[in-house]
Amino acid sequence: MSQDYEMMTSQMNEHEDHIALISQIYPGFYTQIATHQGEPKPRRRRKKNKGGENSQCAVAKKRKLNQEQVTLLELNFGNEHKLESERKDRIASELGLDPRQVAVWFQNRRARWKNKKLEEEYSKLKSLHETVVLDKCRLESEVVKLKEQLSEAEKEILQLTERVDGVSSKSTSSSVLSMEAIDPVFHGEFGYEDVFYIGENNYVLGMEWMNLFM
DNA sequence: CTCAGCGAGCCGTTACATCA
DNA sequence: TTGATGTAACGGCTCGCTGA
């Protein structure tokens, strides 16, 4: 630890001591200043525990919970995430901890659990979104393909109609082939009834679905 | 019904420990 | 030595309960 750092931290501690003292004597003094300036309330800074004094050193050594304590706390958390007063006191005495420590541990554990859940939920939604986007792309390309097929079919119909028109204009008026004879094709309920007429035992490739309606 | 006091929980942050 | 990460602890705030 450098001397500069020591000096800096001691100055900071001194400053924080002043703030703490002023806050004790005049509660809300600093928050009032901030409110007047229209800024968010500054949070009071905690004093650093450098472990210099005996009592502070003892606290510092207590900080980290041992494996047994953590295991038992995890076990209790697994049973129930909330902590009633009785349970808190019981766990605290079992582990030789302050009930406040148990409460804090549960609070932090709930926060960690919540974060983990959120991360899981996020990755689930992300992968779901990716599959939906892929599906959308697939469907869009299918629509394009079907539109192309439709336009091809329309061209073909047009060509056939023109050919039939040519034949009928060449023939005499007494011809057996009148437009009515050719066109019954469009006389169905929806105008296209016979376009797709297929003999009972006939099969058109790619039109399997038509059989459902016949 | 209202209000102050209190306890518990959540959130954001800080302080410290540990590790690469 | 230092920056990143994990976690214990704290302060501020809200909410629900309770008794006056």
Side-chain angles (χ1 to χ4, degrees):
Chain A
M1 193 69 66
S2 73
Q3 284 184 335
D4 286 348
Y5 181 75
E6 281 289 350
M7 205 163 76
M8 194 177 76
T9 51
S10 83
Q11 281 173 351
M12 276 169 64
N13 284 343
E14 211 179 314
H15 175 65
E16 285 155 14
D17 285 343
H18 288 153
I19 292 175
L21 189 64
I22 292 168
S23 298
Q24 251 188 341
I25 299 168
Y26 303 109
F29 178 77
Y30 285 99
T31 57
Q32 276 173 16
I33 292 172
T35 308
H36 283 304
Q37 288 172 344
E39 287 170 4
K41 285 183 191 174
R43 287 172 177 273
R44 219 178 308 150
R45 293 183 72 83
R46 249 178 300 159
K47 283 179 23 171
K48 282 185 182 178
N49 182 3
K50 302 293 290 174
E53 292 163 28
N54 290 339
S55 60
Q56 285 180 339
C57 196
V59 169
K61 277 181 183 172
K62 261 188 185 179
R63 271 187 68 92
K64 196 86 178 167
L65 303 178
N66 65 38
Q67 193 52 52
E68 193 193 342
Q69 288 169 326
V70 172
T71 306
L72 203 91
L73 285 165
E74 285 288 355
L75 209 66
N76 275 281
F77 185 79
N79 292 336
E80 173 68 58
H81 293 191
K82 295 270 176 174
L83 191 62
E84 319 82 62
S85 192
E86 280 176 33
R87 196 157 148 254
K88 177 173 68 185
D89 293 338
R90 183 174 51 76
I91 295 169
S93 70
E94 265 179 52
L95 298 175
L97 294 171
D98 194 292
R100 168 73 191 159
Q101 278 180 292
V102 176
V104 165
W105 188 89
F106 263 75
Q107 183 52 55
N108 287 324
R109 188 66 183 78
R110 276 195 294 270
R112 267 177 266 146
W113 182 80
K114 191 182 171 185
N115 275 338
K116 200 181 154 207
K117 279 275 157 197
L118 282 172
E119 273 173 22
E120 283 172 5
E121 193 66 21
Y122 171 76
S123 66
K124 247 190 253 173
L125 285 171
K126 198 179 161 196
S127 74
L128 190 67
H129 175 256
E130 278 162 8
T131 58
V132 166
V133 166
L134 279 177
D135 218 33
K136 182 175 171 273
C137 286
R138 189 182 57 75
L139 288 169
E140 278 173 353
S141 74
E142 207 173 317
V143 165
V144 169
K145 237 185 278 173
L146 288 170
K147 278 182 177 171
E148 280 169 8
Q149 279 182 19
L150 180 64
S151 117
E152 284 298 314
E154 280 172 348
K155 270 186 211 163
E156 220 165 295
I157 288 169
L158 201 67
Q159 282 170 0
L160 285 170
T161 316
E162 280 168 358
R163 211 181 302 164
V164 170
D165 280 349
V167 169
S168 68
S169 64
K170 275 182 191 169
S171 64
T172 59
S173 59
S174 62
S175 167
V176 186
L177 279 173
S178 68
M179 279 307 287
E180 277 190 354
I182 298 162
D183 264 349
V185 154
F186 301 106
H187 291 169
E189 191 187 349
F190 299 106
Y192 293 94
E193 189 183 74
D194 297 328
V195 168
F196 301 113
Y197 175 78
I198 300 163
E200 237 175 313
N201 296 319
N202 292 344
Y203 179 77
V204 180
L205 194 67
M207 299 289 271
E208 300 90 329
W209 59 273
M210 281 297 292
N211 296 328
L212 298 170
F213 302 100
M214 291 182 173

